[in-house]
Amino acid sequence: MRLRLISILLLGSGIALSPWLIYADDRGVDREPPLMMGEGAAPTASALDYQMWGSPSESGGSPTMVDQRETGRFIVSKTASDTWSVNERFSHLGIGEPIMIPQINTAVPQDLWSIETGAGYNHLFNNGRTLGLNFTVGSDSDHPFYSIHETVFRGLASYRVPSGDHNAWLFSLSYSNNRHFFNGIPLPGVGYYFEAYDDRLQGLVGFPYIALRYRPTPNWSAQLSIFGPRNVNAEISRKLYGPLRGYTAFQWASQEWLIADRQDYSNRLFFDKKRASLGLRSPLPYGFLLDVSGGRQFDQRFFVNDSSSYSSVPTAGLPPSWFVQTRLSYRL
């Protein structure tokens, strides 16, 4: 089964790092980036992705919020063994009303930006081992590139060692100064990728991630991924008609920004939330993919801390709210 490159995941999310892209298979079903790393897949084509989610204000509830994200990866050079690429990411979260974090008397900026660019390299050795390198630099802040303290650096090196016909060991080393846990330090990773039950079950189990994908029948698919604490994605999907699939999903994740002129440079602004959603996803002609979903956001809060833990810091909690999301991807 040939893999198609579709888009970048966010959050932050890939091994939930921005240099890593989300892939989809020939049926248009999203694949977790850790699984792609386990398979040793390299980018095969340039791709663009745009997604927007919005949450309307409610009386006595959460303010209007609109989040827009555009990402792209472009193949610069590709041979049988080497792939060079560049990537970029741009996002904006707009908040309709001021939000105050109690006790510390801090206002959440109503415009929060993320602007990043970088490059990647993948090499396939003659013995089947693969090496991947990615580096990005940018700014996630209310005032992008205001100073060096609002600049974000991310790097990821991965090395895959085959174990049998389909399985493999995966070793990685990543760095980010805007990661939701173990921030600002090189983070080693090790995992074992496996395929079982005639390729119906695929998994990558290790530290600091778990990613599983199970297809009991051609029509049904389930996925689960965990990256460190407080970052969980789960989805169950079913083929409805032709390439159209319906799905239900749960997500627990956070976004992070380096606010300008903050007193403690180790602190960041976090937006932590959980989501339950229903959606439809389908590939379209000419390399497009459309994904439309909606549901409920809950347990959402803004806070300032040096990690995504909010147990001992003041938070600005928001009531649950409805949201709708649209994503359009294009594979060049």
Side-chain angles (χ1 to χ4, degrees):
M1 178 176 58
R2 301 303 298 170
L3 302 171
R4 293 183 179 178
L5 174 63
I6 297 295
S7 63
I8 292 182
L9 180 61
L10 165 301
L11 292 160
S13 275
I15 280 191
L17 292 174
S18 62
W20 278 96
L21 302 184
I22 298 177
Y23 291 74
D25 62 21
D26 287 334
R27 292 158 307 200
V29 181
D30 286 345
R31 308 290 294 282
E32 292 291 344
L35 290 182
M36 307 312 301
M37 294 169 64
E39 291 175 341
T44 59
S46 300
L48 290 170
D49 180 270
Y50 172 78
Q51 69 177 35
M52 179 182 71
W53 67 261
S55 178
S57 63
E58 301 177 11
S59 178
S62 301
T64 298
M65 288 189 285
V66 177
D67 185 288
Q68 300 185 73
R69 305 180 188 184
E70 181 276 328
T71 58
R73 169 164 280 188
F74 307 95
I75 304 299
V76 177
S77 174
K78 184 174 179 61
T79 66
S81 59
D82 299 285
T83 302
W84 293 88
S85 61
V86 295
N87 59 75
E88 50 83 18
R89 180 171 73 94
F90 176 87
S91 71
H92 172 256
L93 174 62
I95 305 172
E97 302 173 15
I99 298 174
M100 294 297 299
I101 301 177
Q103 299 182 37
I104 60 175
N105 197 32
T106 296
V108 176
Q110 291 180 249
D111 291 286
L112 294 163
W113 307 86
S114 293
I115 305 170
E116 297 185 17
T117 186
Y121 171 71
N122 294 83
H123 178 74
L124 173 63
F125 295 94
N126 292 332
N127 58 7
R129 300 185 179 189
T130 57
L131 172 69
L133 300 172
N134 283 273
F135 177 77
T136 64
V137 62
S139 185
D140 303 341
S141 180
D142 55 333
H143 295 288
F145 304 104
Y146 182 76
S147 73
I148 189 63
H149 302 293
E150 291 73 48
T151 304
V152 174
F153 301 95
R154 307 182 197 269
L156 173 64
S158 63
Y159 187 64
R160 179 184 182 272
V161 180
S163 175
D165 293 336
H166 303 289
N167 302 348
W169 286 96
L170 181 69
F171 304 93
S172 63
L173 183 66
S174 65
Y175 173 84
S176 173
N177 64 337
N178 195 21
R179 185 167 50 210
H180 72 285
F181 73 110
F182 290 149
N183 188 53
I185 62 173
L187 178 64
V190 59
Y192 187 72
Y193 171 80
F194 63 90
E195 297 179 3
Y197 305 114
D198 298 324
D199 196 28
R200 293 196 303 271
L201 174 64
Q202 297 169 293
L204 178 61
V205 179
F207 174 83
Y209 43 73
I210 296 175
L212 299 170
R213 181 173 185 260
Y214 180 54
R215 292 185 295 113
T217 71
N219 290 336
W220 286 93
S221 177
Q223 296 188 97
L224 170 69
S225 68
I226 302 173
F227 176 60
R230 296 173 290 277
N231 191 306
V232 180
N233 290 273
E235 178 186 296
I236 299 175
S237 71
R238 188 185 192 282
K239 185 177 181 180
L240 300 178
Y241 180 78
L244 177 66
R245 300 185 74 93
Y247 65 87
T248 180
F250 169 80
Q251 181 188 56
W252 181 12
S254 63
Q255 295 171 262
E256 304 89 27
W257 298 272
L258 286 64
I259 302 304
D261 291 328
R262 61 195 186 281
Q263 294 183 349
D264 186 346
Y265 289 130
S266 67
N267 284 339
R268 290 160 291 150
L269 174 67
F270 287 83
F271 179 33
D272 181 272
K273 63 182 180 297
K274 299 181 179 72
R275 279 182 167 183
S277 62
L278 295 172
L280 296 171
R281 177 190 302 125
S282 177
L284 301 175
Y286 307 108
F288 286 95
L289 181 142
L290 179 64
D291 188 324
V292 179
S293 62
R296 195 72 164 165
Q297 292 187 168
F298 57 99
D299 282 353
Q300 45 185 349
R301 56 184 61 82
F302 285 92
F303 60 94
V304 175
N305 201 4
D306 57 2
S307 77
S308 61
S309 174
Y310 50 83
S311 60
S312 60
V313 296
T315 65
L318 303 178
S321 61
W322 297 101
F323 78 92
V324 293
Q325 178 170 295
T326 300
R327 170 185 161 202
L328 182 65
S329 303
Y330 176 60
R331 179 179 182 269
L332 282 68

